[in-house]
Amino acid sequence: MPDTEMILIKETYLNSDPGSGNMIILKEEPNAKRYFMMFVGDAEFAAIAKEKGLVDPQRPLTHDLYLRILEKLSVNFIRVEVHDVKENTFFANVVFTAEGKEHVVDSRPSDAVALALSRKIPILVNEKLFHRELSQEEMQEFEGLVKSVKF
Amino acid sequence: MPDTEMILIKETYLNSDPGSGNMIILKEEPNAKRYFMMFVGDAEFAAIAKEKGLVDPQRPLTHDLYLRILEKLSVNFIRVEVHDVKENTFFANVVFTAEGKEHVVDSRPSDAVALALSRKIPILVNEKLFHRELSQEEMQEFEGLVKSVKF
């Protein structure tokens, strides 16, 4: 039995900044104080931004290619889970069924989130990976961050 | 009927250089003078380098995630085709069968090449996209390029 709870994510925020890089912030609800944050590469950031309708790349991204292939196949995506962290690297699973069997595949969280947004399946994050409630000062900084997001 | 021939690729070369970027060069055989060249992003370059055994990323790349998902499904990848260029952008197709039907999905050539190397399926390039035979001077430069590749 896991001794931590998996939290259902309702909000995905993006922020890109030349100094700090590409950031994805996940929250259980807009007003929630705790949050999950990860840094991602350019291609993964683009994939998530595209799924949120923030950019419209002219050519299919890697995700798009495979999602178009998967559309032709019998597969049901169930959920993605960001479940652990080791040496500052987050770990996620993609859960799906095919031919009556459930499969769990290891994934980077950025790919899992892009896939989940595309297929409209739940994103769950282990509560132990959330940042604690922010102080007043941190909150101001975080609010600035959220306001700087382009949507 | 197409009025150009599709050339079967036997050799894939990679070169990365801070000035010119990430380059993929495809040739029908090592001694062939004509060649196909494209510039690709970091993530796509990493995927191709990984499929050639040049790098071993600790975490699954986007390609790896989807290829692991596809391993659980009934799909046969047949070939990839780099078939056209428009406004300096190359276009490719991925051809596969699923449930007895053949499908053709639009792809960036870099994704198509990474998929083909992974699944060991033919890479075909329209001969009109090849660079012509090189001059002696160009050949020297090109030889330097090929020698600088890490394998």
Side-chain angles (χ1 to χ4, degrees), chain A residues 59, chain B residues 2-7 26 36-38 80-94 106-110 112 124-130:
Chain A
R59 299 292 297 137
Chain B
D3 55 4
T4 49
E5 203 183 336
M6 297 300 285
I7 308 298
L26 305 178
F36 171 80
M37 187 176 79
M38 61 181 172
V80 304
E81 304 166 331
V82 184
H83 61 87
D84 210 352
V85 63
K86 286 171 195 158
E87 294 171 9
N88 293 319
T89 302
F90 293 114
F91 287 72
N93 286 325
V94 173
D106 180 30
S107 171
R108 293 179 299 177
S110 52
L124 298 163
V125 177
N126 191 316
E127 65 173 359
K128 77 178 181 181
L129 305 179
F130 276 72

Side-chain angles (χ1 to χ4, degrees), chain A residues 2-33:
Chain A
D3 55 3
T4 49
E5 204 183 335
M6 298 299 286
I7 307 298
L8 180 64
I9 297 302
K10 293 275 179 65
E11 302 292 332
T12 306
Y13 302 100
L14 293 87
N15 193 50
S16 189
D17 165 313
S20 49
N22 301 319
M23 234 175 289
I24 304 294
I25 295 153
L26 305 178
K27 293 180 78 175
E28 58 200 301
E29 51 176 281
N31 296 328
K33 285 180 177 168

Side-chain angles (χ1 to χ4, degrees), chain B residues 98-148:
Chain B
E99 293 171 14
K101 278 190 193 166
E102 184 172 291
H103 300 279
V104 179
V105 171
D106 180 30
S107 171
R108 293 179 299 177
S110 52
D111 287 331
V113 166
L115 190 158
L117 292 176
S118 171
R119 301 299 290 243
K120 302 192 186 350
I121 58 169
I123 300 168
L124 298 163
V125 177
N126 191 316
E127 65 173 359
K128 77 178 181 181
L129 305 179
F130 276 72
H131 287 262
R132 62 175 170 69
E133 190 175 329
L134 299 164
S135 71
Q136 268 315 90
E137 280 175 15
E138 285 170 325
M139 199 62 201
Q140 284 182 340
E141 198 177 322
F142 182 67
E143 286 295 316
L145 182 73
V146 172
K147 278 179 198 150
S148 76

Side-chain angles (χ1 to χ4, degrees), chain A residues 44-82:
Chain A
E44 296 73 29
F45 192 77
I48 293 170
K50 191 236 160 197
E51 293 306 334
K52 288 197 62 84
L54 300 172
V55 296
D56 184 17
Q58 293 205 314
R59 299 292 297 137
L61 303 178
T62 306
H63 278 276
D64 300 323
L65 167 64
Y66 285 105
L67 289 167
R68 287 179 196 184
I69 291 170
L70 286 162
E71 272 173 20
K72 309 294 185 191
L73 305 174
S74 297
V75 54
N76 285 310
F77 288 99
I78 308 296
R79 65 184 178 276
V80 304
E81 305 166 330
V82 185

Side-chain angles (χ1 to χ4, degrees), chain B residues 51-114:
Chain B
E51 293 306 333
K52 288 196 62 84
L54 300 172
V55 296
D56 185 17
Q58 292 205 314
R59 300 290 299 136
L61 303 177
T62 305
H63 277 276
D64 300 322
L65 167 64
Y66 285 105
L67 289 168
R68 287 178 198 185
I69 292 171
L70 287 162
E71 272 172 21
K72 309 293 186 191
L73 305 173
S74 298
V75 53
N76 285 311
F77 288 99
I78 308 295
R79 65 184 178 277
V80 304
E81 304 166 331
V82 184
H83 61 87
D84 210 352
V85 63
K86 286 171 195 158
E87 294 171 9
N88 293 319
T89 302
F90 293 114
F91 287 72
N93 286 325
V94 173
V95 183
F96 63 98
T97 58
E99 293 171 14
K101 278 190 193 166
E102 184 172 291
H103 300 279
V104 179
V105 171
D106 180 30
S107 171
R108 293 179 299 177
S110 52
D111 287 331
V113 166

